[in-house]
Amino acid sequence: MTTLAEWLAAQPVDTGLAASVASMAAASVEIAAVLRAAPIQGQVGLVGRVNVQGEEQKQLDLISNDIVVKHLEQNEAVSILVSEELDEPLQMQIQGRYMVATDPLDGSSNLDVNVTVGTIFSVLEAAQGLLQPGSAQLAAGYVAYGPATNLVLSFGGPVVVFTLDSKGVYLLTDTEVQVPQASAEYAINTARERFWDAATRGYVAENVAGETGASGKRHNMRWVGSMVADVHRILMRGGIFLYPLDSETVSKGGRLRLLYEANPMAFLIEAAGGKATTGRQRLLEVMPAAIHQRVPVVLGSSEEVERVEAWYAKE
Ligand code: AFP
């Protein structure tokens, strides 16, 4: 089977860009090992600190961030790191060409209950500055730490999947992921219904109505509470993921972070033939105003995303 190193060497991209992806992959191999041993090592629970988003940091959030920093510091191609766990951007190699934005451990509220979590990353041209739209991404990927550890990535072309073997080597297991256009599976935190806008309420009500509703088909709902797990399912078998702006998150601009959650996932979904929007705007065209900015997210199978866009167009 083709290894990640062999596949990267064969890609028509700058070696520094490929090396930046390889550094994130190497960090994820170490994070995967730490996650497997965490309950034994007692590396679970909170550290009693909050990050810039006001969220309580888990031990493993910080450990994962340290691992990412360590691997990127060894890479001369990387000049700057933006991380969910760091209040400010971290300067790395002055002469480096690339900026990496990352959520070192997404879904960490699921850690202590052994549910799939992930690492999400995005690579951009550092010279263009910290605040670039998602369409400027040169590469994006995530690692899903689940029953298997999968690395999913794209340089804007095919979306490929690697699986970590028992020796700590990523092997190519899927060469071109395509998100099915149609789907009957949606993912949203329905406990937030009372805060939803009319468009979200209308779309979900149609799904709940099933065959008798406007979509004319029976829908199923899945919500893991780990964006990586929910998006991986959608990349593999279709579906739609929604974390809309609601009356409780409106002051913050949404729940999910633009640079290192929404943009990399939107880049992968679009590269795999799906769609990604805020409801009103193509997600990859949103111009960031701050590195930890939040944004509404609707992404997945194009037919379903278009149904949501149609609801927003009615407003
Ligand atoms: P944590 O990293 O704090 O667990 O948040 C996970 C997340 O950012 C994303 O992975 C999930 O899709 C979303 O939040 C879960 O949100 P709810 O807590 O509303 O289910």
Side-chain angles (χ1 to χ4, degrees), residues 55 84 103 105-110 189 192 223 225-228 230 241 243 255-257 261:
E55 290 163 344
E84 182 187 49
D103 182 350
L105 203 56
D106 180 66
S108 54
S109 61
N110 280 322
N189 181 346
R192 303 189 64 81
W223 183 251
S226 272
M227 186 185 196
V228 166
D230 284 310
F241 173 96
Y243 214 117
R255 162 72 191 244
L256 301 173
R257 279 51 60 128
E261 289 180 314

Side-chain angles (χ1 to χ4, degrees), residues 48-271:
R49 271 180 26 201
V50 295
N51 63 20
V52 67
Q53 352 255 340
E55 290 163 344
E56 293 192 279
Q57 290 177 308
K58 293 249 169 35
Q59 281 191 60
L60 289 164
D61 284 327
L62 298 182
I63 293 169
S64 303
N65 188 66
D66 292 345
I67 292 171
V68 167
V69 169
K70 179 184 74 180
H71 283 271
L72 294 184
E73 272 173 348
Q74 296 160 4
N75 182 336
E76 61 184 19
V78 177
S79 79
I80 197 135
L81 169 67
V82 168
S83 166
E84 182 187 49
E85 302 308 333
L86 297 172
D87 299 1
E88 300 302 328
L90 186 62
Q91 182 66 57
M92 304 210 134
Q93 285 62 251
I94 300 291
Q95 83 286 353
R97 176 174 167 183
Y98 298 104
M99 163 179 156
V100 173
T102 185
D103 182 350
L105 203 56
D106 180 66
S108 54
S109 61
N110 280 322
L111 274 171
D112 302 347
V113 290
N114 202 21
V115 169
T116 297
V117 293
T119 295
I120 311 174
F121 63 91
S122 164
V123 187
L124 304 106
E125 199 81 60
Q128 303 303 315
L130 293 170
L131 303 176
Q132 303 174 49
S135 54
Q137 292 174 103
L138 303 170
Y142 64 78
V143 178
Y145 308 104
T149 296
N150 285 133
L151 164 65
V152 178
L153 68 98
S154 174
F155 290 107
V159 174
V160 294
V161 181
F162 295 84
T163 302
L164 195 62
D165 74 4
S166 57
K167 301 187 196 71
V169 175
Y170 277 115
L171 301 175
L172 185 62
T173 47
D174 200 323
T175 55
E176 183 150 7
V177 176
Q178 281 295 313
V179 178
Q181 282 187 328
S183 171
E185 202 164 59
Y186 64 104
I188 190 168
N189 181 346
T190 54
R192 303 189 64 81
E193 182 176 353
R194 65 191 182 285
F195 306 125
W196 287 345
D197 56 25
T200 306
R201 212 179 282 281
Y203 171 75
V204 172
E206 274 179 358
N207 291 359
V208 172
E211 297 92 334
T212 62
S215 74
K217 60 185 177 182
R218 175 188 292 262
H219 292 258
N220 205 359
M221 208 288 278
R222 287 279 179 275
W223 183 251
V224 180
S226 272
M227 186 185 196
V228 166
D230 284 310
V231 171
H232 191 67
R233 182 188 61 248
I234 290 167
L235 269 170
M236 294 303 126
R237 69 180 192 205
I240 183 172
F241 173 96
L242 304 97
Y243 214 117
L245 194 66
D246 63 39
S247 59
E248 204 179 45
T249 60
V250 67
S251 60
K252 291 192 284 185
R255 162 72 191 244
L256 301 173
R257 279 51 60 128
L258 178 60
L259 263 65
Y260 42 79
E261 289 180 314
N263 275 343
M265 294 306 202
F267 186 84
L268 292 166
I269 289 282
E270 284 202 6

